[in-house]
Amino acid sequence: MCESSGLSRRDFVRATATAGVVGAAAPYFVPAAALGREGSTVASERIQLGLIGCGGMGRGNLGNCAAHGDVVVTALCDVQKSRLEDTLSKFSQSAKPYRDYRELLAQKNVDAVIIATPPHWHALQAIEACRAGKDIYLQKPMTLHLGESLAVRNAVKRHNVISQIGTQIHAGDNYRRIVELIRAGNLGKISVVRTFNVMNQGPGGVGHDPNTTPPEGMDWDLWVGPAPLRPYNAILAADSYNHGSWMDFSGGWTPGMAPHIIDLPIWALELGYPTHVSCSGGRYVVEDDGDAYDTQEILWQYPKLTMTWMSTLASSYGFDLGSGTPARRLGIYFHGLNGTMYCDYGTYKIVPEGDRMKGMQPPEKSIPSSPGHEREWLDSIKSRQQPSCSVFYHTKVNVPIVLGNLSYKLGRSIRFDPASEQIVGDADAAKAAVPEYRHPWKFPAEYLT
Ligand SMILES: NC(=O)c1ccc[n+]([C@@H]2O[C@H](COP(=O)([O-])OP(=O)(O)OC[C@H]3O[C@@H](n4cnc5c(N)ncnc54)[C@H](O)[C@@H]3O)[C@@H](O)[C@H]2O)c1
């Protein structure tokens, strides 16, 4: 038995491997110029950080950055006074509060921003941040529309800023081991990949709230921003779990979860863009205040490979290799000629096809551990080399997702030309791929070229 990756051969083919998801916190690269005499970072060399969107995720990302001595938090922004004040109470020594993100972006003492607002804001705020010369840590989903995706990528390039999309699972060791295994070819040629996120929300979904009055200190018009105006709804405003029920503010659960999940096959198989995308689904079982689908299936055609995505809010049994207990299930199946691999964030399991994998060795570890997703970004800000989930990589993850939702909305398949990054033979779909923002917000179409 080969023990090269810490697994016996039998373990390798039969057992589930488990690995930590979050990388070690210690930085692997801090330029000498950024260090003071005692090894601490001199104040003038610290990365001056801002946060736009002080919800749970933004505060989490901010905390992970602020834990490093070479970061100082200088600016915080939220349209909800209570969340802003809450976050400010932890950084009151160094940070100033802002209600309007444009004021934050105008500050000279902000080098870089975390953008953790609801998804309908991501593209515009990211592009504005690039225009202001700020490096960005942009939460997933990167964007909700093809036009937005290309414009954000182009803005990062044009303004030469550092970008990291917030798919932190990418930094975990389990994904690294799977990429090595897939690339070693032990599964043989892979022709089918199935991906999914399934969780039963029951008929009630995220629920109902008859209250349509924003609470004191909530700027609802600025929360809605470029999306179509709708009355305040406390459930929608609560957090990203709830955003998933509203199409205009999240695109449903597919943009919510697929960025973490289809990331792995796109990375392992070095996929470019799909050439055909089709989607079906609808709101079949859930009856809450939202309007997004509760069931959605996408089929992506890549050269010599098909990949599917299933998002459902019904019972999840049978989607993984697992038990009958009610649970949220997510993961990826890679189907090769020699066997099938099932995997998720922290585990993988290979089921060989008969004896076709007999005697095969697991590959040596070759992809180094990440120092942590946010730490990678901070190091990149100093080195000026893009990190692992820059927009230049992540556009390949985001585009299939936004094309899937476009196909869902239009009710027809989409053909996409990877070379020109254009929708082919469907002028209406190409037009619908570029959003129209609510007045006075304007989609920055100048970044499409
Ligand atoms: N990477 C992950 O695993 C992960 C997990 C959860 C959430 N997320 C993503 O992080 C983002 C935030 O999620 P969340 O759960 O913290 O959501 P949330 O709704 O709790 O927080 C978003 C915050 O943004 C604020 N906001 C809205 N419009 C704003 C504007 N124009 N300017 C400034 N602030 C504004 C809201 O008031 C709110 O406080 C979402 O995109 C979500 O998909 C990622």
Side-chain angles (χ1 to χ4, degrees), residues 57 78 80 83 116 121-122 139-140 166 168 222 240 243:
M57 202 58 213
D78 204 292
Q80 291 186 66
R83 288 197 180 181
W121 263 116
H122 287 184
Q139 260 307 334
K140 47 64 33 182
Q168 73 280 359
L222 201 48
S240 54
H243 304 158

Side-chain angles (χ1 to χ4, degrees), residues 51-59 61 77-80 83-84 98-101 115-122 125 137 139-141 166-169 218-219 221-226 236-241 243 255-257 260 345 441:
L51 169 65
I52 303 174
C54 300
M57 202 58 213
R59 289 197 304 269
N61 292 142
C77 171
D78 204 292
V79 298
Q80 291 186 66
R83 288 197 180 181
L84 186 56
Y98 301 90
R99 183 186 56 86
D100 189 324
Y101 74 94
I115 299 171
T117 44
H120 66 285
W121 263 116
H122 287 184
Q125 290 179 335
Y137 187 99
Q139 260 307 334
K140 47 64 33 182
T167 47
Q168 73 280 359
I169 312 302
M218 155 68 99
D219 186 335
D221 191 74
L222 201 48
W223 195 102
V224 174
L236 166 60
D239 59 35
S240 54
Y241 182 82
H243 304 158
M257 290 304 291
H260 294 302
Y345 293 164
W441 306 100

